Structure formats: structure tokens, C-alpha cells
Amino acid sequence: KTTAGIVRNTKKAVNELAYSADATSTGIKDLGIGMSYVGTAAKANKLSLAETASAMGVLSNNGLEADKAGTGLRSTINGLTGQINKIGKKNSIFDKLGIKKSEMLDAHGNLKSLSTDMAVLYKHIQEHSHGGAQANGFFKSIFGTSGMNAAEILAKNSKEVQNLTKRTAEAGKSGTYVAKMAERNSATA
């Protein structure tokens, strides 16, 4: 790791976090708190910082902030991976829903993306549910009581997570979002 690489990665991360916080109802401090709960699970499952921050921003837009967003997102990731690993085994919920590993994992065995996987899950739950109570039951069985709220928010808003992730990643690549935001703010001061 070189100093230039560290500076480049830091600049990218700062711009991604700032964009996600600015584009949603969360803040940098809340993202930091949330990351302390979900960071390890997100990294282990190869989720980008842009997608993780975007998912927490969407959760914030829907009333889950900071530690609740981080815990909920961690439960969502762990619930997905836990159920994917049970496909083809006795009492698999994903088998019952007709979900195949190929719909959820890339060629390397990683989640395709959080937004893609949550969209697939939501589609299958809708196809196999007869009313809200049954859909709610699927979410509870997959994500547990503490994770079902966040998982349902992310499933219903998977397109928003996907679009925000794209914009957040672009802000990180350009590396100029924070500078432009500071310029805007100083012009109005």
C-alpha cells in the first residue's frame, strides 16, 4: 500500500459517504455508527462501501437510523447468506419460494448485489404469498424479528438502493463531491 493509494481510497470513501448522507435523511455520524454494526458483514460479503452506505441511507429514509440501520442491514446480509447456504437442504425457505442460488450469487459465490438479491427475494415472496401476513411470515422466518423490518424496507425499495448506489459510486470515483458541497455551502454562508 502506497501513500498515494491510501489517499485515493480515503478520498473515494469520504466522497461516497458524504454523497449518501447528503442524498438521504441520514448523516455522516449516523453512517459511521451504522458502519460499526454492519461493516464486517458487508466486507465479508463483498458489498461495496457505496452500496452499504446507500442501503443505510434508504433505511434512514424509512425511519431506521444509525445503530438500528447498521444492525438491520447486518441482519439482512446474514439472513440472505444463511438462507442461500440452505438451498437444496431440508426445510429450505428459499427452496419453498423457488429461489435458486444462481439468482442470488455471482460466479465466485458472492452476493450479486444487495439490491439485486433483495429484488429477487421480494419478487418470489410476492409470488408465493397470499396476503400481508404470509409475506410478513416469510420475512420473519428469513431475517428474524430484529432484521425483518430492515429487510422488508430494502426489498420494497431495492430499485432505490440500486440507483442510489450507482450515484454514490460515481461521487466516489469523481472524488469532487465534498469539494463541490463545501463550495456550495460557502456560497450560501
Side-chain angles (χ1 to χ4, degrees):
K1 297 189 180 207
T2 65
T3 302
I6 292 169
V7 169
R8 184 176 53 253
N9 289 339
T10 301
K11 187 175 181 182
K12 179 181 177 201
V14 167
N15 278 281
E16 286 181 356
L17 291 171
Y19 183 86
S20 182
D22 201 31
T24 65
S25 63
T26 195
I28 293 284
K29 182 178 178 185
D30 289 337
L31 282 173
I33 292 168
M35 288 291 179
S36 72
Y37 288 86
V38 72
T40 302
K43 184 175 180 175
N45 287 285
K46 311 273 192 258
L47 297 181
S48 69
L49 178 63
E51 186 162 34
T52 305
S54 296
M56 285 199 299
V58 169
L59 290 171
S60 175
N61 287 351
N62 287 275
L64 294 182
E65 297 282 348
D67 56 332
K68 289 176 185 63
T71 301
L73 183 52
R74 180 183 63 208
S75 295
T76 300
I77 294 166
N78 290 338
L80 276 176
T81 57
Q83 290 302 320
I84 290 167
N85 288 327
K86 291 180 182 177
I87 293 175
K89 297 181 181 160
K90 188 177 180 180
N91 299 323
S92 166
I93 297 167
F94 278 19
D95 281 340
K96 184 176 182 177
L97 290 169
I99 297 172
K100 296 174 178 28
K101 281 188 180 183
S102 61
E103 292 178 275
M104 307 297 275
L105 301 176
D106 65 18
H108 305 289
N110 299 310
L111 298 176
K112 286 187 175 180
S113 75
L114 184 65
S115 57
T116 298
D117 288 358
M118 293 309 287
V120 168
L121 176 63
Y122 192 64
K123 178 183 85 102
H124 282 276
I125 287 176
Q126 293 303 303
E127 290 171 356
H128 290 83
S129 297
H130 305 289
Q134 195 172 17
N136 196 47
F138 281 124
F139 278 103
K140 184 177 180 186
S141 295
I142 297 165
F143 302 104
T145 305
S146 62
M148 64 188 277
N149 190 26
E152 193 162 357
I153 290 168
L154 294 169
K156 287 180 178 177
N157 296 285
S158 61
K159 197 59 144 171
E160 183 181 354
V161 174
Q162 181 182 43
N163 292 335
L164 182 57
T165 299
K166 225 176 267 182
R167 295 191 319 268
T168 300
E170 283 302 314
K173 283 180 194 164
S174 76
T176 60
Y177 185 78
V178 171
K180 288 177 183 175
M181 185 172 59
E183 194 176 290
R184 251 189 348 260
N185 289 343
S186 68
T188 61

